[in-house]
Amino acid sequence: MPEIRLHRRLSEIPAAAWDGLHDGAHPFVAHAFLHGLEATGCLRPDWGWTPCHLGLWEGDRLVAAAPGYLKDNTHGEFVFDHAWAEAYARHGLDYYPKWLCAVPYSPVTGPRLLARDAEARTALLEAMQALVAQAGLSSAHVNFHAATDDDAFGDDWLLREDTQFHWTNPRGWQDFDGFLAAFDHKHRKNIRQERRKVADAGITFRIVHGDDASDDDLAAMHGFYLRTFADYGNSPALTLDFLHHLARAMPRQLVLVLAERAGTAIAGALCLRGGDTLYGRYWGASELHPGLHFETCYYQGIAYCLREGLARFEPGAQGQHKLARGFLPTPVRSRHWIADARFADALRGWCEGERAHVRAHRQALWAHAPFRLEPAA
């Protein structure tokens, strides 16, 4: 049997060993990304993020691993279980701490159970349950796992679903005009008007990869990020050092969309590029212009995917307004193992009801999809 080890820093695991357990297509599970969060001050225990990575070892060989964190709140998770914590409290029980397998601050679907084979993947899930029991935790959670991991979870792992809005290219569009031709007249006209307003304001765009980004580019993007968090009264987690780290360690996977007017950057979107997918993460602006958000965060990303031959664009969580701009309802999932059998039974019915509601809403959203049955001539 493999030996279970807990790692309080990802630097305890060699990058080659960790990255040897996934295909490299998902930048958020890369050792460079996760270690970078720890090394540049993005994870703080007072924000509820205490690294506790799970590794299964055969001697000096890593055979399975999961990015893990001890959590005493739900900060930066995007799978909300406040009601669960409140139910525990009403019964005089502690929901926190819990153990979370996830990528901090990133509601992005991808591999979570990193393993050399199915047997090691099963052993990894068993190790999660053993960790909960031995440490006296309430539960283990695996957020935004890939659909390919579904079969690994037993029935005792409760399933939750949510909906995000993703862009794909099922018709093989070659450029933005071809993409727009697939819209009905109303939605196509609206997008053209939005884009024209941005262009008429004298705003141009520059796409910068990490290895081309100057210090000024990175500082500008971080400034936009800080401004957005300040506007919403939230605490920004990502540091400027982290952006510099990404530019060095993941130079072609970091993608900045910078909007400029009169030679000065006035807005930006921070993205990461995977094997066939662009992931939009954060945006901000120092000036407000009609359509600027949509152009910076959505249309420039779609155009980039079309130029680069990428199959998907995931622009972040929530945002039903994305539907009218070509991003379609897509299920995302998480799994939850509850140690207390009484709560597990009660939450099973709760999750079933939630899934039924989410699926019905997602089906209803499809009625508002902006595409024609056939591409316009």
Side-chain angles (χ1 to χ4, degrees):
M1 291 291 294
E3 176 190 0
I4 301 173
R5 302 180 195 170
L6 299 180
H7 300 275
R8 300 297 182 173
R9 296 183 303 275
L10 197 62
S11 59
E12 296 175 2
I13 301 177
W18 180 276
D19 289 336
L21 296 176
H22 63 92
D23 63 7
H26 297 267
F28 298 92
V29 295
H31 191 280
F33 184 88
L34 294 168
H35 168 62
L37 289 173
E38 296 178 19
T40 61
C42 299
L43 300 182
R44 290 169 37 178
D46 59 322
W47 285 347
W49 291 96
T50 300
C52 185
H53 309 297
L54 192 58
L56 270 58
W57 295 83
E58 291 180 349
D60 60 357
R61 183 187 181 198
L62 184 67
V63 298
Y69 305 87
L70 289 175
K71 295 280 293 170
D72 57 16
N73 59 35
T74 59
H75 177 262
E77 295 181 27
F78 294 91
V79 177
F80 302 107
D81 52 3
H82 307 293
W84 297 14
E86 291 170 359
Y88 269 70
R90 286 196 299 271
H91 288 80
L93 300 173
D94 293 326
Y95 185 66
Y96 302 111
K98 63 181 183 180
W99 185 82
L100 172 68
C101 172
V103 177
Y105 317 124
S106 302
V108 173
T109 294
R112 297 293 181 265
L113 311 178
L114 312 182
R116 68 178 183 183
D117 54 33
E119 183 179 358
R121 185 174 293 108
T122 298
L124 185 63
L125 287 170
E126 293 172 351
M128 293 179 187
Q129 295 170 235
L131 167 62
V132 168
Q134 293 169 8
L137 307 177
S138 71
S139 49
H141 309 259
V142 182
N143 286 0
F144 299 101
H145 67 83
T148 52
D149 282 337
D150 275 339
D151 292 341
F153 293 96
D155 291 339
D156 52 346
W157 285 86
L158 306 180
L159 171 63
R160 295 185 68 186
E161 288 188 6
D162 202 351
T163 299
Q164 292 182 356
F165 297 88
H166 297 171
W167 178 89
T168 61
N169 189 359
R171 304 181 188 179
W173 299 306
Q174 298 297 307
D175 53 32
F176 204 93
D177 286 340
F179 165 62
L180 275 189
F183 279 67
D184 61 38
H185 174 74
K186 174 185 175 181
H187 289 93
R188 183 167 61 249
K189 179 180 178 181
N190 180 63
I191 291 175
R192 284 176 172 161
Q193 288 176 340
E194 288 177 342
R195 303 198 80 188
R196 187 176 302 115
K197 289 177 181 177
V198 175
D200 289 347
I203 299 171
T204 59
F205 288 85
R206 186 162 56 93
I207 307 296
V208 183
H209 293 91
D211 51 357
D212 295 323
S214 67
D215 288 349
D216 287 344
D217 292 334
L218 296 171
M221 185 64 245
H222 192 252
F224 298 139
Y225 163 76
L226 294 179
R227 181 183 292 268
T228 295
F229 272 69
D231 288 344
Y232 286 92
N234 296 325
S235 299
L238 302 187
T239 63
L240 180 57
D241 283 347
F242 180 64
L243 297 195
H244 280 280
H245 167 80
L246 291 181
R248 293 191 305 269
M250 308 175 71
R252 300 306 293 179
Q253 292 172 293
L254 176 63
V255 182
L256 305 181
V257 178
L258 296 175
E260 298 179 334
R261 191 176 65 82
T264 300
I266 63 167
L270 187 154
C271 305
L272 286 178
R273 175 175 175 166
D276 67 351
T277 304
L278 183 69
Y279 302 93
R281 300 307 311 123
Y282 299 102
W283 110 288
S286 59
E287 297 183 7
L288 298 180
H289 295 272
L292 180 58
H293 172 257
F294 301 133
E295 183 68 40
T296 307
C297 295
Y298 306 144
Y299 304 145
Q300 286 293 318
I302 290 172
Y304 176 89
C305 289
L306 290 167
R307 289 194 304 270
E308 297 289 317
L310 301 183
R312 300 179 64 85
F313 179 23
E314 300 184 14
Q318 304 171 339
Q320 191 167 320
H321 59 276
K322 298 168 185 170
L323 179 62
R325 293 161 180 89
F327 297 85
L328 298 180
T330 304
V332 294
R333 54 187 57 76
S334 60
R335 297 280 180 159
H336 310 269
W337 189 81
I338 310 300
D340 189 309
R342 298 166 300 173
F343 275 91
D345 288 342
L347 290 174
R348 185 178 306 280
W350 187 92
C351 290
E352 290 173 355
E354 181 190 50
R355 287 201 307 276
H357 173 76
V358 167
R359 290 174 180 179
H361 183 241
R362 186 162 58 240
Q363 187 64 34
L365 287 170
W366 276 95
H368 301 281
F371 295 107
R372 294 161 53 99
L373 292 178
E374 295 293 337

